[in-house]
Amino acid sequence: MYHNDKLVVAPTRYPENHLHPDQPWYTTDVFTDWSLKFLEEAQADERPFFLYIAYNAPHWPLEAPKENIAHYKGKYSQGWDQLRVAKLKRMKDLGLVDEATRLSSSECPQWDSLSPNEQHESAFRREIYAAQIERMDANIGRVVSKLKDLHQLDDTLLLFLSDNGCCAEGGMYGYQWQKNTRENFDQWRTQSGRSSSMGEAWSNASNTPFRLHKRWVHEGGIATPLIAHWPDKLKNTGALSHQVGHVVDIMATCVDVAAAQYPQQHQGQAINPMRGTSLVSTFENPESASKRTLFWEHELHSALREGDWKLVTLDARSDDKWELYDMSIERTETRDLAAKEPERVKRMLALWKAWAEQTNVLPWPQDRK
């Protein structure tokens, strides 16, 4: 743990709560404590302030206060299969996805194939995960309350998003799921690293109705909602936009709303230009539409989205393994149109390669001299 570039908590040390020594350390709470301190300090400066809170919750290792976990006891005893169906129905009812949306295929075992004890232990992992989200939500509420107390809430743009889809790390049921159980939770709850995770099966449910997980660039790995709150500027309260954005747009949006100038260099070193687009026009008019071309690459998983068309692959080293989807028809990537649209695939692949060379994705590391 660092503060002002200085190591204040060594990796092998139990953290000391510097702001509140009388309280136990829970990272999500501590991040908020410091955030509230920074907000108070910012009031002495008339310039716009910027606060970035990178909560670790609900990332693994799984851990949450027992009072939060208790709220979800038995909540997930029906398993991931029923959860996926229920989530998709709710998403359709809310207008988040089209009525024609189908669940993507699942490679996870059916919940009913697990023994009662396996179900018991797997459900516990999900209960902790839900408790982590509840704790994070409460801490976001603390930030909102502080902004309200400082009379800054109405004129502050709040943006909330996840950095990726849910992760499948730790195997089908999560790290050490047979060793670290519900019964001995007190012994492993404060262990760091790979002591616990939800695993692939629950991640598949979290990413409903999309395919795959974090690390992949199918929708299950990259799709995340963005929530924007700015009472003084945003008049369409509760509006929903399906406009496509990208995390690179956050910088452009912040520069826009702060009326700042993005620098061309820092300490004599050239800075790469912004690649994002300000989202302010989308905030003001959720129905606005723009055809964008966006690119991805992560551990060979690669994609290009051009308007409603998405070209995606699990291995960008091969020109023959790219899939093509019309996202206006279905975002769950279950109907590969690559064989029917070979010319479109060829043209989009050429665009991806040009971008990959420009951004030093290509040549692949093993091919560099």
Side-chain angles (χ1 to χ4, degrees):
M1 195 73 64
Y2 288 81
H3 183 225
N4 290 339
D5 294 328
K6 179 183 178 182
L7 181 68
V8 295
V9 179
T12 56
R13 234 181 72 202
Y14 190 82
E16 177 185 351
N17 194 334
H18 295 90
L19 285 182
H20 301 288
D22 59 318
Q23 297 178 13
W25 177 290
Y26 187 66
T27 306
T28 303
D29 295 345
V30 173
F31 280 9
T32 303
D33 293 338
W34 282 93
S35 297
L36 303 187
K37 181 177 184 293
F38 294 151
L39 286 174
E40 291 176 351
E41 293 172 350
Q43 302 313 300
D45 195 320
E46 294 183 356
R47 295 175 298 172
F49 62 82
F50 174 81
L51 176 63
Y52 170 50
I53 313 176
Y55 286 118
N56 63 325
H59 200 284
W60 52 264
L62 302 174
E63 207 279 312
K66 289 186 176 180
E67 62 265 27
N68 296 104
I69 299 174
H71 295 162
Y72 299 94
K73 186 175 182 180
K75 176 76 173 179
Y76 300 102
S77 59
Q78 299 301 311
W80 42 72
D81 299 320
Q82 289 195 26
L83 180 60
R84 292 185 82 212
V85 173
K87 285 188 66 174
L88 179 56
K89 181 182 184 304
R90 187 163 66 251
M91 293 171 77
K92 289 180 178 181
D93 291 343
L94 292 171
L96 300 178
V97 297
D98 188 85
E99 278 292 332
T101 300
R102 303 181 299 179
L103 280 175
S104 58
S105 59
S106 170
E107 298 179 0
C108 306
Q110 292 187 344
W111 181 257
D112 290 344
S113 69
L114 274 62
S115 69
N117 184 64
E118 289 173 332
Q119 292 180 354
H120 183 68
E121 293 301 333
S122 295
F124 183 53
R125 294 290 178 102
R126 185 71 179 191
E127 291 168 12
I128 307 173
Y129 180 77
Q132 286 180 286
I133 294 176
E134 179 182 88
R135 193 74 175 200
M136 178 185 65
D137 188 57
N139 275 281
I140 294 171
R142 292 174 62 202
V143 174
V144 171
S145 294
K146 172 61 73 171
L147 288 169
K148 187 179 297 184
D149 292 343
L150 296 172
H151 305 290
Q152 295 284 352
L153 181 61
D154 289 350
D155 194 32
T156 298
L157 171 61
L158 302 180
L159 299 174
F160 175 83
L161 75 161
S162 173
D163 53 348
N164 43 249
C166 196
C167 81
E169 294 172 60
M172 188 61 67
Y173 308 109
Y175 291 121
Q176 303 190 58
W177 80 286
Q178 291 179 313
K179 174 185 175 183
N180 293 336
T181 67
R182 187 189 294 261
E183 296 303 319
N184 64 0
F185 181 48
D186 285 339
Q187 280 71 57
W188 59 266
R189 64 180 302 171
T190 58
Q191 294 177 6
S192 61
R194 291 171 169 80
S195 61
S196 58
S197 63
M198 273 205 309
E200 180 178 344
W202 283 121
S203 175
N204 184 240
S206 284
N207 292 331
T208 300
F210 303 128
R211 282 178 60 191
L212 296 174
H213 319 265
K214 171 188 174 182
R215 291 181 54 222
W216 286 268
V217 293
H218 286 73
E219 293 296 281
I222 63 174
T224 173
L226 173 69
I227 299 173
H229 180 271
W230 195 7
D232 278 0
K233 302 292 184 180
L234 307 184
K235 304 307 178 184
N236 279 320
T237 304
L240 173 66
S241 173
H242 291 284
Q243 177 64 41
V244 175
H246 192 285
V247 70
V248 296
D249 299 336
I250 302 300
M251 170 66 81
T253 303
C254 291
V255 169
D256 184 8
V257 301
Q261 294 295 320
Y262 188 79
Q264 295 182 340
Q265 63 176 15
H266 178 66
Q267 297 182 348
Q269 299 295 317
I271 296 176
N272 290 331
M274 286 192 300
R275 292 187 174 273
T277 300
S278 174
L279 298 171
V280 171
S281 60
T282 299
F283 296 161
E284 294 174 343
N285 180 15
E287 299 302 322
S288 65
S290 61
K291 298 295 183 181
R292 301 188 60 184
T293 302
L294 299 169
F295 303 86
W296 295 265
E297 188 278 331
H298 184 63
E299 299 181 14
L300 299 178
H301 309 139
S302 304
L304 158 65
R305 176 157 177 168
E306 185 181 42
D308 289 328
W309 290 93
K310 182 179 177 183
L311 190 69
V312 61
T313 183
L314 299 176
D315 187 351
R317 293 172 298 184
S318 172
D319 289 356
D320 301 325
K321 296 182 179 180
W322 291 78
E323 306 160 8
L324 180 69
Y325 300 102
D326 183 349
M327 307 299 274
S328 68
I329 297 177
E330 190 174 52
R331 287 182 59 203
T332 48
E333 298 166 311
T334 60
R335 304 171 185 174
D336 184 5
L337 302 176
K340 296 182 178 180
E341 297 270 358
E343 291 304 313
R344 187 185 299 275
V345 170
K346 182 178 179 181
R347 181 182 61 78
M348 292 179 69
L349 181 55
L351 287 176
W352 183 87
K353 288 183 175 180
W355 166 84
E357 291 177 357
Q358 181 185 24
T359 55
N360 298 319
V361 171
L362 293 176
W364 300 114
Q366 63 269 25
D367 297 330
R368 296 173 186 171
K369 295 181 180 180

